[in-house]
């Protein structure tokens, strides 16, 4: 590629020309046989997690009990305990006959993960959890209290196969897909912790219910690469209590690197979750390197799919854009992004710039505040609603892109 290949023809006189190339330092990005960054779509085969009530529809739950030689009608009682009281402790289920209670609970509510560690910050308003799954795989979730809402950032895979060089999770590759119940259990466990009073205090006059109100699939993993389990989990999250968590679909955000066929499928589900596309560059030259999956689906295809998601659901979509110093934060890129979004209509999209959280030992850094402001100014001047994402939990490695799940 010629040295000036990343310079746009429209760059105005006096604009910064420094262009840092995506490169990795201190670790080796895995490459496939074709020499390109490796993309792992298939989950490595590992022992399956135990089947749990949250993997199953209400009918399947009853059938499962029958299979285990247990009374089918108990499924509803177990679901009520799990989804509304956040418990899987037989001792707390006094409405179930003591004889056979253990067996029932073990049958439908097997333990899926153990808490390895908990880190709190922001005066207790942010808690990061490190969980160990049945096979030793580690995942994290981050719980955040805001005025009027409680958000949980959940993982959908142990590790991630998308190999984005600036993301801590991507550097270790994909361990395995999480089951639907492992995804849902992160929410139930967080609700239990909130009920125990461990999340920072309520604001005076606050009336929000004390449970997770918003979910973002922005923890470890690429949710759309684990499509069926993601959707089972989402259906359980939105199913009315006591069959599910009774959450609002619009309060659930699915974030993706841009797996276009899966975005189309998601649009057809008729479950209006909020959709976020991790774009990070408006030009294929740069995005090919920042988001390796761009070798399959280009910027324009990903944006067309995002627009089609809006058309199908009426939900305004988010474009995520990690601002990386001298890499993707140039004024012309803000202009090009605005142009590409406006070319697809108005009022359908907003942009969330995220100051980069550098991964350990990384040569990449966040953009200077003045550069960030200029980036936002240009988008807003072009009529694109833009909100800089706050990065909670930085000092506990709980912020966007920092989740790496090690026990060290
Ligand atoms: N695989 C999904 C969800 C993962 S992470 C996706 O890519 O959308 C959620 C967001 O954090 C994504 O937009 C991701 O690109 C961003 N992110 C990853 N590493 C980051 C870092 N080091 N600093 C800031 N944001 C980062």
């Amino acid at each position: 590629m010629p040295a000036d290949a990343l310079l746009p023809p429209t760059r105005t006189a006096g604009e910064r020309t420094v262009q840092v190339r995506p490169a990795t330092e201190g670790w080796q990005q895995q490459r496939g046989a074709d020499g390109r960054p490796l993309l792992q779509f298939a989950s490595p085969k590992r022992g399956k997690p135990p089947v749990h009530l949250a993997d199953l529809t209400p009918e399947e739950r009853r059938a499962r009990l029958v299979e285990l030689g247990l009374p089918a009608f108990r499924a509803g009682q177990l679901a009520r305990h799990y989804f509304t009281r956040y418990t899987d402790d037989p001792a707390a289920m006094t409405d179930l006959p003591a004889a056979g209670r253990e067996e029932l609970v073990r049958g439908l509510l097997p333990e899926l993960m153990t808490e390895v560690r908990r880190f709190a910050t922001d005066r207790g308003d942010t808690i990061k959890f490190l969980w160990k799954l049945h096979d030793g795989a580690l995942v994290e979730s981050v719980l955040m209290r805001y005025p009027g809402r409680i958000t949980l950032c959940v993982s959908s895979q142990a590790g991630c196969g998308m190999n984005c060089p600036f993301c801590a999770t991507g550097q270790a590759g994909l361990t395995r897909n999480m089951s639907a119940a492992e995804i849902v259990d992160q929410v139930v466990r967080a609700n239990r912790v909130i009920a125990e009073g461990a999340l920072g205090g309520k604001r005076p006059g606050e009336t929000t219910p004390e449970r997770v109100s918003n979910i973002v699939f922005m923890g470890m993993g690429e949710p759309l690469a684990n499509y069926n389990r993601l959707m089972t989990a989402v259906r359980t999250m939105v199913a009315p209590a006591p069959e599910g968590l009774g959450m609002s679909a619009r309060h659930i955000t699915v974030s993706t690197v841009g797996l276009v066929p899966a975005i189309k499928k998601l649009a057809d589900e008729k479950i209006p979750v909020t959709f976020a596309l991790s774009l990070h560059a408006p030009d294929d030259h740069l995005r090919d390197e920042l988001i390796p999956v761009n070798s399959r689906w280009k910027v324009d295809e990903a944006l067309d799919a995002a627009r089609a998601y809006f058309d199908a659901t009426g939900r305004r979509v988010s474009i995520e854009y990690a601002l990386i110093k001298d890499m993707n934060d140039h004024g012309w890129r803000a202009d090009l992004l605005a142009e590409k979004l406006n070319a697809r209509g108005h009022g359908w999209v907003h942009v969330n710039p995220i100051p980069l959280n550098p991964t350990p030992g990384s040569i990449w850094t966040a953009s200077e505040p003045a550069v960030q402001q200029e980036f936002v100014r240009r988008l807003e001047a072009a009529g694109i609603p833009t909100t800089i994402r706050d990065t909670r939990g930085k000092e506990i490695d709980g912020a966007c892109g920092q989740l790496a799940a090690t026990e060290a």
Side-chain angles (χ1 to χ4, degrees), residues 10 72 106 127 205 248 303 367 382:
T10 54
R106 255 185 290 117
I127 301 176
S248 145
L303 289 177
S367 304

Side-chain angles (χ1 to χ4, degrees), residues 153-154 156-157 160 162 164-171 216-224 254-258 276-280 287 290-291 319-324 352 354-359 362 364 389 391 399-403:
C153 179
V154 295
S156 56
Q157 298 181 310
C160 185
M162 295 297 109
C164 302
F166 58 95
C167 174
T169 308
Q171 298 181 4
V216 294
F217 279 89
M218 295 188 187
M220 302 172 73
E222 167 49 46
L224 295 189
V254 174
S255 177
T256 178
V257 288
L277 173 66
S278 297
L279 194 68
H280 305 313
R287 196 171 191 267
L290 277 181
I291 309 287
I319 301 292
E320 288 164 282
Y321 201 106
L323 283 168
I324 312 174
N352 271 154
I354 317 165
L356 181 84
N357 289 304
T359 55
S362 141
W364 318 51
R389 160 93 42 84
T391 55
C400 313
Q402 287 188 305
L403 303 185

Side-chain angles (χ1 to χ4, degrees), residues 224-286:
L224 295 189
N226 186 16
Y227 191 87
N228 291 340
R229 294 172 195 88
L230 165 78
M231 288 317 301
T232 301
V234 167
R235 281 189 203 99
T236 302
M237 289 167 182
V238 303
E243 305 294 10
L245 285 166
M247 300 185 67
S248 145
R250 25 188 32 231
H251 291 167
I252 299 175
T253 300
V254 174
S255 177
T256 178
V257 288
L259 307 186
V260 167
I263 299 171
K264 291 182 176 158
K265 241 162 99 179
L266 184 67
D268 288 338
E269 298 278 356
K270 303 288 171 241
I271 304 179
V273 295
T274 298
F275 176 74
L277 173 66
S278 297
L279 194 68
H280 305 313
D283 53 309
D284 287 319
H285 273 315
L286 180 57

Side-chain angles (χ1 to χ4, degrees), residues 328-344:
N328 65 352
D329 60 357
H330 307 83
W332 70 265
R333 285 203 162 92
D335 296 343
L336 181 60
L337 175 58
E339 192 185 309
K340 290 200 168 191
L341 299 179
N342 283 332
R344 291 168 171 82

Side-chain angles (χ1 to χ4, degrees), residues 78 89-106:
L78 290 168
D89 175 11
M93 304 184 188
T94 49
D95 58 332
L96 295 174
R101 197 194 291 172
E102 287 272 349
E103 203 188 344
L104 253 178
V105 174
R106 255 185 290 117

